[in-house]
mmCIF file of all heavy atoms in Angstrom:
data_model
loop_
_atom_site.group_PDB
_atom_site.id
_atom_site.type_symbol
_atom_site.label_atom_id
_atom_site.label_comp_id
_atom_site.label_asym_id
_atom_site.label_seq_id
_atom_site.Cartn_x
_atom_site.Cartn_y
_atom_site.Cartn_z
ATOM 1 N N PHE A 1 74.704 102.254 78.935
ATOM 2 C CA PHE A 1 73.355 102.097 78.361
ATOM 3 C C PHE A 1 72.380 101.194 79.160
ATOM 4 O O PHE A 1 71.197 101.118 78.707
ATOM 5 C CB PHE A 1 73.600 101.387 77.076
ATOM 6 C CG PHE A 1 74.337 102.090 75.977
ATOM 7 C CD1 PHE A 1 75.680 101.767 75.648
ATOM 8 C CD2 PHE A 1 73.764 103.214 75.358
ATOM 9 C CE1 PHE A 1 76.359 102.512 74.695
ATOM 10 C CE2 PHE A 1 74.399 103.918 74.421
ATOM 11 C CZ PHE A 1 75.759 103.494 74.137
ATOM 12 N N PHE A 2 72.750 100.781 80.405
ATOM 13 C CA PHE A 2 71.778 99.877 81.091
ATOM 14 C C PHE A 2 70.476 100.599 81.392
ATOM 15 O O PHE A 2 69.393 99.967 81.105
ATOM 16 C CB PHE A 2 72.488 99.482 82.344
ATOM 17 C CG PHE A 2 71.612 98.483 83.175
ATOM 18 C CD1 PHE A 2 71.742 97.102 82.880
ATOM 19 C CD2 PHE A 2 70.666 98.766 84.049
ATOM 20 C CE1 PHE A 2 70.905 96.189 83.423
ATOM 21 C CE2 PHE A 2 69.924 97.890 84.749
ATOM 22 C CZ PHE A 2 70.004 96.518 84.430
ATOM 23 N N SER A 3 70.488 101.783 81.929
ATOM 24 C CA SER A 3 69.246 102.536 82.269
ATOM 25 C C SER A 3 68.378 102.728 80.973
ATOM 26 O O SER A 3 67.176 102.554 80.941
ATOM 27 C CB SER A 3 69.506 103.961 82.909
ATOM 28 O OG SER A 3 70.138 103.762 84.150
ATOM 29 N N LEU A 4 69.040 103.198 79.948
ATOM 30 C CA LEU A 4 68.198 103.375 78.619
ATOM 31 C C LEU A 4 67.882 102.091 78.051
ATOM 32 O O LEU A 4 66.612 101.879 77.648
ATOM 33 C CB LEU A 4 69.094 104.148 77.572
ATOM 34 C CG LEU A 4 68.520 104.382 76.311
ATOM 35 C CD1 LEU A 4 67.282 105.343 76.453
ATOM 36 C CD2 LEU A 4 69.512 105.049 75.340
ATOM 37 N N ALA A 5 68.560 100.993 77.988
ATOM 38 C CA ALA A 5 68.267 99.725 77.435
ATOM 39 C C ALA A 5 67.206 98.966 78.222
ATOM 40 O O ALA A 5 66.372 98.357 77.587
ATOM 41 C CB ALA A 5 69.482 98.816 77.273
ATOM 42 N N SER A 6 67.152 99.198 79.402
ATOM 43 C CA SER A 6 66.115 98.509 80.333
ATOM 44 C C SER A 6 64.774 99.133 80.290
ATOM 45 O O SER A 6 63.862 98.675 80.763
ATOM 46 C CB SER A 6 66.589 98.481 81.758
ATOM 47 O OG SER A 6 66.769 99.746 82.327
ATOM 48 N N THR A 7 64.740 100.448 79.669
ATOM 49 C CA THR A 7 63.391 101.053 79.513
ATOM 50 C C THR A 7 63.020 101.234 78.154
ATOM 51 O O THR A 7 61.818 101.108 77.721
ATOM 52 C CB THR A 7 63.507 102.520 80.301
ATOM 53 O OG1 THR A 7 64.615 103.205 79.799
ATOM 54 C CG2 THR A 7 63.430 102.291 81.748
ATOM 55 N N TYR A 8 64.079 101.616 77.276
ATOM 56 C CA TYR A 8 63.794 101.774 75.806
ATOM 57 C C TYR A 8 64.800 101.118 74.953
ATOM 58 O O TYR A 8 65.727 101.698 74.440
ATOM 59 C CB TYR A 8 63.769 103.293 75.434
ATOM 60 C CG TYR A 8 62.793 104.242 76.203
ATOM 61 C CD1 TYR A 8 63.256 104.941 77.271
ATOM 62 C CD2 TYR A 8 61.476 104.250 75.893
ATOM 63 C CE1 TYR A 8 62.277 105.685 78.090
ATOM 64 C CE2 TYR A 8 60.561 104.940 76.582
ATOM 65 C CZ TYR A 8 61.009 105.719 77.747
ATOM 66 O OH TYR A 8 60.144 106.390 78.396
ATOM 67 N N PRO A 9 64.663 99.782 74.779
ATOM 68 C CA PRO A 9 65.686 99.075 74.223
ATOM 69 C C PRO A 9 65.980 99.406 72.873
ATOM 70 O O PRO A 9 67.155 99.358 72.356
ATOM 71 C CB PRO A 9 65.094 97.590 74.203
ATOM 72 C CG PRO A 9 64.061 97.683 75.350
ATOM 73 C CD PRO A 9 63.530 99.041 75.444
ATOM 74 N N SER A 10 65.074 99.668 71.926
ATOM 75 C CA SER A 10 65.408 99.990 70.486
ATOM 76 C C SER A 10 66.209 101.239 70.463
ATOM 77 O O SER A 10 66.971 101.201 69.506
ATOM 78 C CB SER A 10 63.969 100.346 69.806
ATOM 79 O OG SER A 10 63.197 101.400 70.473
ATOM 80 N N ALA A 11 66.092 102.274 71.271
ATOM 81 C CA ALA A 11 66.928 103.321 71.291
ATOM 82 C C ALA A 11 68.372 103.017 71.734
ATOM 83 O O ALA A 11 69.335 103.588 71.128
ATOM 84 C CB ALA A 11 66.370 104.504 72.110
ATOM 85 N N ALA A 12 68.645 102.136 72.656
ATOM 86 C CA ALA A 12 69.920 101.818 73.137
ATOM 87 C C ALA A 12 70.612 100.769 72.226
ATOM 88 O O ALA A 12 71.855 101.028 71.933
ATOM 89 C CB ALA A 12 69.690 101.212 74.521
ATOM 90 N N PHE A 13 69.894 99.788 71.852
ATOM 91 C CA PHE A 13 70.584 98.728 71.056
ATOM 92 C C PHE A 13 71.083 99.181 69.545
ATOM 93 O O PHE A 13 71.946 98.569 69.005
ATOM 94 C CB PHE A 13 69.771 97.467 70.906
ATOM 95 C CG PHE A 13 69.854 96.638 72.084
ATOM 96 C CD1 PHE A 13 68.911 96.730 73.101
ATOM 97 C CD2 PHE A 13 70.853 95.668 72.236
ATOM 98 C CE1 PHE A 13 69.048 95.861 74.166
ATOM 99 C CE2 PHE A 13 70.941 95.028 73.431
ATOM 100 C CZ PHE A 13 70.011 94.990 74.321
ATOM 101 N N ALA A 14 70.440 100.277 69.176
ATOM 102 C CA ALA A 14 71.042 100.809 67.882
ATOM 103 C C ALA A 14 72.589 101.198 68.019
ATOM 104 O O ALA A 14 73.371 100.965 67.151
ATOM 105 C CB ALA A 14 70.199 102.153 67.469
ATOM 106 N N GLU A 15 72.873 101.738 69.220
ATOM 107 C CA GLU A 15 74.225 102.116 69.469
ATOM 108 C C GLU A 15 75.107 100.841 70.026
ATOM 109 O O GLU A 15 76.275 100.688 69.667
ATOM 110 C CB GLU A 15 74.390 103.282 70.476
ATOM 111 C CG GLU A 15 73.765 104.569 69.972
ATOM 112 C CD GLU A 15 74.057 105.708 70.837
ATOM 113 O OE1 GLU A 15 75.228 105.961 71.115
ATOM 114 O OE2 GLU A 15 73.052 106.290 71.361
ATOM 115 N N ILE A 16 74.348 100.016 70.796
ATOM 116 C CA ILE A 16 75.097 98.902 71.347
ATOM 117 C C ILE A 16 75.611 98.033 70.227
ATOM 118 O O ILE A 16 76.687 97.456 70.329
ATOM 119 C CB ILE A 16 74.204 98.213 72.358
ATOM 120 C CG1 ILE A 16 73.972 99.064 73.524
ATOM 121 C CG2 ILE A 16 74.812 96.867 72.843
ATOM 122 C CD1 ILE A 16 72.921 98.525 74.561
ATOM 123 N N VAL A 17 74.764 97.668 69.325
ATOM 124 C CA VAL A 17 75.061 96.807 68.199
ATOM 125 C C VAL A 17 76.294 97.389 67.436
ATOM 126 O O VAL A 17 77.337 96.677 67.026
ATOM 127 C CB VAL A 17 73.934 96.455 67.294
ATOM 128 C CG1 VAL A 17 74.328 95.676 66.163
ATOM 129 C CG2 VAL A 17 72.905 95.731 68.053
ATOM 130 N N ASP A 18 76.295 98.663 67.128
ATOM 131 C CA ASP A 18 77.340 99.368 66.419
ATOM 132 C C ASP A 18 78.632 99.275 67.100
ATOM 133 O O ASP A 18 79.660 99.012 66.594
ATOM 134 C CB ASP A 18 76.957 100.689 66.124
ATOM 135 C CG ASP A 18 77.945 101.494 65.218
ATOM 136 O OD1 ASP A 18 78.245 101.020 64.191
ATOM 137 O OD2 ASP A 18 78.513 102.451 65.715
ATOM 138 N N LEU A 19 78.600 99.477 68.447
ATOM 139 C CA LEU A 19 79.833 99.313 69.227
ATOM 140 C C LEU A 19 80.337 97.758 69.300
ATOM 141 O O LEU A 19 81.515 97.531 69.228
ATOM 142 C CB LEU A 19 79.672 99.773 70.670
ATOM 143 C CG LEU A 19 79.583 101.309 70.836
ATOM 144 C CD1 LEU A 19 79.123 101.699 72.347
ATOM 145 C CD2 LEU A 19 80.818 101.991 70.610
ATOM 146 N N GLY A 20 79.295 96.938 69.292
ATOM 147 C CA GLY A 20 79.721 95.576 69.381
ATOM 148 C C GLY A 20 80.380 95.096 68.145
ATOM 149 O O GLY A 20 81.384 94.273 68.143
ATOM 150 N N GLN A 21 80.075 95.600 66.992
ATOM 151 C CA GLN A 21 80.677 95.316 65.627
ATOM 152 C C GLN A 21 82.156 95.755 65.683
ATOM 153 O O GLN A 21 83.033 94.986 65.091
ATOM 154 C CB GLN A 21 79.988 95.804 64.492
ATOM 155 C CG GLN A 21 78.535 95.243 64.197
ATOM 156 C CD GLN A 21 78.645 93.760 64.032
ATOM 157 O OE1 GLN A 21 79.518 93.261 63.247
ATOM 158 N NE2 GLN A 21 77.811 93.022 64.622
ATOM 159 N N LYS A 22 82.419 96.816 66.222
ATOM 160 C CA LYS A 22 83.728 97.309 66.344
ATOM 161 C C LYS A 22 84.530 96.475 67.196
ATOM 162 O O LYS A 22 85.749 96.260 66.907
ATOM 163 C CB LYS A 22 83.778 98.852 66.868
ATOM 164 C CG LYS A 22 83.160 99.855 65.936
ATOM 165 C CD LYS A 22 82.992 101.234 66.521
ATOM 166 C CE LYS A 22 82.316 102.233 65.595
ATOM 167 N NZ LYS A 22 82.232 103.539 66.204
ATOM 168 N N HIS A 23 84.051 96.059 68.367
ATOM 169 C CA HIS A 23 84.670 95.104 69.324
ATOM 170 C C HIS A 23 85.095 93.811 68.622
ATOM 171 O O HIS A 23 86.072 93.304 68.848
ATOM 172 C CB HIS A 23 83.997 95.044 70.570
ATOM 173 C CG HIS A 23 83.985 96.298 71.466
ATOM 174 N ND1 HIS A 23 82.781 96.749 71.957
ATOM 175 C CD2 HIS A 23 84.957 97.075 71.726
ATOM 176 C CE1 HIS A 23 83.027 97.719 72.748
ATOM 177 N NE2 HIS A 23 84.328 98.031 72.520
ATOM 178 N N LEU A 24 84.053 93.337 67.791
ATOM 179 C CA LEU A 24 84.240 92.101 67.182
ATOM 180 C C LEU A 24 85.436 92.128 66.166
ATOM 181 O O LEU A 24 86.222 91.167 66.129
ATOM 182 C CB LEU A 24 82.978 91.598 66.469
ATOM 183 C CG LEU A 24 82.034 90.733 67.341
ATOM 184 C CD1 LEU A 24 80.714 90.546 66.439
ATOM 185 C CD2 LEU A 24 82.690 89.465 67.636
ATOM 186 N N ARG A 25 85.345 93.184 65.379
ATOM 187 C CA ARG A 25 86.429 93.303 64.424
ATOM 188 C C ARG A 25 87.858 93.216 65.086
ATOM 189 O O ARG A 25 88.830 92.611 64.613
ATOM 190 C CB ARG A 25 86.324 94.635 63.644
ATOM 191 C CG ARG A 25 85.213 94.447 62.544
ATOM 192 C CD ARG A 25 85.235 95.551 61.521
ATOM 193 N NE ARG A 25 84.958 96.880 62.234
ATOM 194 C CZ ARG A 25 83.757 97.396 62.328
ATOM 195 N NH1 ARG A 25 82.753 96.808 61.819
ATOM 196 N NH2 ARG A 25 83.471 98.592 62.890
ATOM 197 N N LYS A 26 87.977 93.878 66.224
ATOM 198 C CA LYS A 26 89.223 94.027 66.918
ATOM 199 C C LYS A 26 89.668 92.609 67.520
ATOM 200 O O LYS A 26 90.676 92.143 67.574
ATOM 201 C CB LYS A 26 89.048 95.127 68.053
ATOM 202 C CG LYS A 26 90.396 95.394 68.804
ATOM 203 C CD LYS A 26 90.268 96.588 69.732
ATOM 204 C CE LYS A 26 91.634 96.839 70.396
ATOM 205 N NZ LYS A 26 91.518 98.012 71.344
ATOM 206 N N LEU A 27 88.544 91.913 68.091
ATOM 207 C CA LEU A 27 88.740 90.727 68.765
ATOM 208 C C LEU A 27 89.219 89.643 67.703
ATOM 209 O O LEU A 27 89.991 88.712 67.988
ATOM 210 C CB LEU A 27 87.562 90.319 69.524
ATOM 211 C CG LEU A 27 87.680 89.033 70.351
ATOM 212 C CD1 LEU A 27 88.867 89.022 71.441
ATOM 213 C CD2 LEU A 27 86.338 88.622 71.071
ATOM 214 N N ARG A 28 88.616 89.682 66.478
ATOM 215 C CA ARG A 28 89.006 88.688 65.457
ATOM 216 C C ARG A 28 90.553 88.813 65.143
ATOM 217 O O ARG A 28 91.261 87.660 64.915
ATOM 218 C CB ARG A 28 88.255 89.017 64.204
ATOM 219 C CG ARG A 28 86.788 88.648 64.197
ATOM 220 C CD ARG A 28 86.161 88.612 62.890
ATOM 221 N NE ARG A 28 84.695 88.455 62.911
ATOM 222 C CZ ARG A 28 83.825 89.440 62.838
ATOM 223 N NH1 ARG A 28 84.342 90.741 62.518
ATOM 224 N NH2 ARG A 28 82.532 89.271 62.967
ATOM 225 N N ARG A 29 91.140 89.983 65.179
ATOM 226 C CA ARG A 29 92.546 89.988 65.038
ATOM 227 C C ARG A 29 93.371 89.539 66.118
ATOM 228 O O ARG A 29 94.436 88.996 65.990
ATOM 229 C CB ARG A 29 92.891 91.577 64.792
ATOM 230 C CG ARG A 29 92.274 92.275 63.520
ATOM 231 C CD ARG A 29 92.927 93.568 63.208
ATOM 232 N NE ARG A 29 92.766 94.506 64.256
ATOM 233 C CZ ARG A 29 91.752 95.457 64.244
ATOM 234 N NH1 ARG A 29 90.753 95.457 63.476
ATOM 235 N NH2 ARG A 29 91.690 96.148 65.336
ATOM 236 N N LEU A 30 92.840 89.691 67.376
ATOM 237 C CA LEU A 30 93.466 89.220 68.585
ATOM 238 C C LEU A 30 93.415 87.765 68.900
ATOM 239 O O LEU A 30 94.255 87.141 69.263
ATOM 240 C CB LEU A 30 93.063 90.039 69.773
ATOM 241 C CG LEU A 30 93.319 91.624 69.693
ATOM 242 C CD1 LEU A 30 92.617 92.340 70.759
ATOM 243 C CD2 LEU A 30 94.773 91.908 69.778
ATOM 244 N N ASP A 31 92.206 87.237 68.630
ATOM 245 C CA ASP A 31 91.819 85.844 69.108
ATOM 246 C C ASP A 31 90.567 85.469 68.264
ATOM 247 O O ASP A 31 89.481 85.674 68.790
ATOM 248 C CB ASP A 31 91.679 85.711 70.628
ATOM 249 C CG ASP A 31 91.480 84.333 71.062
ATOM 250 O OD1 ASP A 31 91.101 83.465 70.253
ATOM 251 O OD2 ASP A 31 91.789 84.042 72.206
ATOM 252 N N GLY A 32 90.820 84.835 67.210
ATOM 253 C CA GLY A 32 89.788 84.523 66.274
ATOM 254 C C GLY A 32 88.812 83.514 66.927
ATOM 255 O O GLY A 32 87.594 83.559 66.799
ATOM 256 N N GLY A 33 89.348 82.544 67.704
ATOM 257 C CA GLY A 33 88.468 81.556 68.434
ATOM 258 C C GLY A 33 87.467 82.161 69.438
ATOM 259 O O GLY A 33 86.307 81.844 69.508
ATOM 260 N N ALA A 34 88.019 83.128 70.193
ATOM 261 C CA ALA A 34 87.201 83.811 71.195
ATOM 262 C C ALA A 34 86.023 84.605 70.508
ATOM 263 O O ALA A 34 84.967 84.570 70.924
ATOM 264 C CB ALA A 34 87.937 84.625 72.164
ATOM 265 N N ALA A 35 86.543 85.276 69.306
ATOM 266 C CA ALA A 35 85.569 86.097 68.619
ATOM 267 C C ALA A 35 84.380 85.276 67.999
ATOM 268 O O ALA A 35 83.213 85.723 68.074
ATOM 269 C CB ALA A 35 86.262 86.878 67.623
ATOM 270 N N PHE A 36 84.821 84.072 67.552
ATOM 271 C CA PHE A 36 83.834 83.271 66.953
ATOM 272 C C PHE A 36 82.696 82.789 68.073
ATOM 273 O O PHE A 36 81.512 82.667 67.736
ATOM 274 C CB PHE A 36 84.417 82.000 66.326
ATOM 275 C CG PHE A 36 83.446 80.975 65.801
ATOM 276 C CD1 PHE A 36 82.797 81.215 64.532
ATOM 277 C CD2 PHE A 36 83.180 79.775 66.625
ATOM 278 C CE1 PHE A 36 81.911 80.179 64.105
ATOM 279 C CE2 PHE A 36 82.309 78.849 66.044
ATOM 280 C CZ PHE A 36 81.692 79.076 64.911
ATOM 281 N N GLY A 37 83.256 82.464 69.176
ATOM 282 C CA GLY A 37 82.423 81.905 70.279
ATOM 283 C C GLY A 37 81.411 82.912 70.769
ATOM 284 O O GLY A 37 80.316 82.637 70.830
ATOM 285 N N ILE A 38 81.931 84.214 70.974
ATOM 286 C CA ILE A 38 80.979 85.221 71.527
ATOM 287 C C ILE A 38 79.983 85.683 70.416
ATOM 288 O O ILE A 38 78.795 85.935 70.596
ATOM 289 C CB ILE A 38 81.942 86.425 71.978
ATOM 290 C CG1 ILE A 38 82.700 86.011 73.264
ATOM 291 C CG2 ILE A 38 80.974 87.648 72.292
ATOM 292 C CD1 ILE A 38 83.700 87.061 73.689
ATOM 293 N N GLU A 39 80.474 85.753 69.119
ATOM 294 C CA GLU A 39 79.570 86.177 68.096
ATOM 295 C C GLU A 39 78.478 85.081 67.883
ATOM 296 O O GLU A 39 77.349 85.497 67.558
ATOM 297 C CB GLU A 39 80.306 86.269 66.743
ATOM 298 C CG GLU A 39 79.456 86.835 65.567
ATOM 299 C CD GLU A 39 80.292 87.004 64.294
ATOM 300 O OE1 GLU A 39 81.393 86.463 64.227
ATOM 301 O OE2 GLU A 39 79.823 87.781 63.422
ATOM 302 N N LYS A 40 78.784 83.883 68.028
ATOM 303 C CA LYS A 40 77.806 82.785 67.925
ATOM 304 C C LYS A 40 76.737 82.905 68.907
ATOM 305 O O LYS A 40 75.583 82.770 68.831
ATOM 306 C CB LYS A 40 78.441 81.325 67.980
ATOM 307 C CG LYS A 40 77.620 80.182 67.939
ATOM 308 C CD LYS A 40 78.311 79.008 68.091
ATOM 309 C CE LYS A 40 77.298 77.765 68.127
ATOM 310 N NZ LYS A 40 77.887 76.444 68.276
ATOM 311 N N ARG A 41 77.220 83.275 70.266
ATOM 312 C CA ARG A 41 76.279 83.450 71.399
ATOM 313 C C ARG A 41 75.391 84.734 71.113
ATOM 314 O O ARG A 41 74.211 84.547 71.466
ATOM 315 C CB ARG A 41 77.112 83.647 72.601
ATOM 316 C CG ARG A 41 76.206 83.748 74.014
ATOM 317 C CD ARG A 41 76.860 84.015 75.135
ATOM 318 N NE ARG A 41 78.114 83.223 75.379
ATOM 319 C CZ ARG A 41 79.256 83.421 75.615
ATOM 320 N NH1 ARG A 41 79.505 84.798 75.568
ATOM 321 N NH2 ARG A 41 80.199 82.502 75.853
ATOM 322 N N ILE A 42 76.035 85.756 70.652
ATOM 323 C CA ILE A 42 75.041 86.920 70.368
ATOM 324 C C ILE A 42 74.079 86.581 69.318
ATOM 325 O O ILE A 42 72.852 86.953 69.471
ATOM 326 C CB ILE A 42 76.026 88.077 69.965
ATOM 327 C CG1 ILE A 42 76.893 88.528 71.069
ATOM 328 C CG2 ILE A 42 75.154 89.230 69.364
ATOM 329 C CD1 ILE A 42 77.851 89.625 70.780
ATOM 330 N N MET A 43 74.420 85.831 68.251
ATOM 331 C CA MET A 43 73.529 85.498 67.256
ATOM 332 C C MET A 43 72.474 84.530 67.772
ATOM 333 O O MET A 43 71.292 84.792 67.320
ATOM 334 C CB MET A 43 74.223 84.790 66.052
ATOM 335 C CG MET A 43 75.157 85.764 65.274
ATOM 336 S SD MET A 43 74.174 87.059 64.537
ATOM 337 C CE MET A 43 73.111 86.306 63.478
ATOM 338 N N GLU A 44 72.756 83.570 68.632
ATOM 339 C CA GLU A 44 71.689 82.715 69.149
ATOM 340 C C GLU A 44 70.650 83.506 69.897
ATOM 341 O O GLU A 44 69.395 83.118 69.978
ATOM 342 C CB GLU A 44 72.454 81.652 70.081
ATOM 343 C CG GLU A 44 73.171 80.619 69.158
ATOM 344 C CD GLU A 44 74.012 79.711 70.057
ATOM 345 O OE1 GLU A 44 74.132 79.979 71.346
ATOM 346 O OE2 GLU A 44 74.564 78.742 69.535
ATOM 347 N N ILE A 45 71.201 84.400 70.835
ATOM 348 C CA ILE A 45 70.287 85.243 71.672
ATOM 349 C C ILE A 45 69.370 86.052 70.749
ATOM 350 O O ILE A 45 68.156 86.156 70.964
ATOM 351 C CB ILE A 45 71.110 86.049 72.679
ATOM 352 C CG1 ILE A 45 71.810 85.080 73.564
ATOM 353 C CG2 ILE A 45 70.113 86.864 73.454
ATOM 354 C CD1 ILE A 45 72.830 85.881 74.596
ATOM 355 N N SER A 46 70.077 86.782 69.714
ATOM 356 C CA SER A 46 69.421 87.647 68.781
ATOM 357 C C SER A 46 68.252 86.940 68.131
ATOM 358 O O SER A 46 67.125 87.467 67.813
ATOM 359 C CB SER A 46 70.332 88.508 67.944
ATOM 360 O OG SER A 46 71.307 89.090 68.635
ATOM 361 N N ASN A 47 68.419 85.639 67.667
ATOM 362 C CA ASN A 47 67.398 84.926 66.983
ATOM 363 C C ASN A 47 66.243 84.676 67.724
ATOM 364 O O ASN A 47 65.112 84.314 67.154
ATOM 365 C CB ASN A 47 68.014 83.648 66.472
ATOM 366 C CG ASN A 47 69.153 83.772 65.297
ATOM 367 O OD1 ASN A 47 69.034 84.925 64.780
ATOM 368 N ND2 ASN A 47 69.865 83.015 65.024
#
């Protein structure tokens, strides 16, 4: 998604965010602490 996101962010991040949620759900099962830290960073940047 780099080429698309760097030119048309709204089109790319619709899919990137969806994929990110799937990765977060998986990471919570594997390492809750790591999932919490990364999710917090994503929220701080998104805000």
Side-chain angles (χ1 to χ4, degrees):
F1 295 107
F2 186 86
S3 293
L4 181 63
S6 64
T7 48
Y8 303 101
S10 60
F13 275 98
E15 296 188 54
I16 292 173
V17 173
D18 184 56
L19 286 171
Q21 291 303 316
K22 295 177 182 177
H23 291 137
L24 267 175
R25 287 193 293 270
K26 186 175 182 179
L27 184 59
R28 287 192 190 104
R29 295 193 300 268
L30 298 169
D31 188 334
F36 175 79
I38 294 178
E39 185 177 20
K40 181 183 177 183
R41 184 187 304 129
I42 290 175
M43 290 301 298
E44 288 173 347
I45 298 173
S46 299
N47 288 337

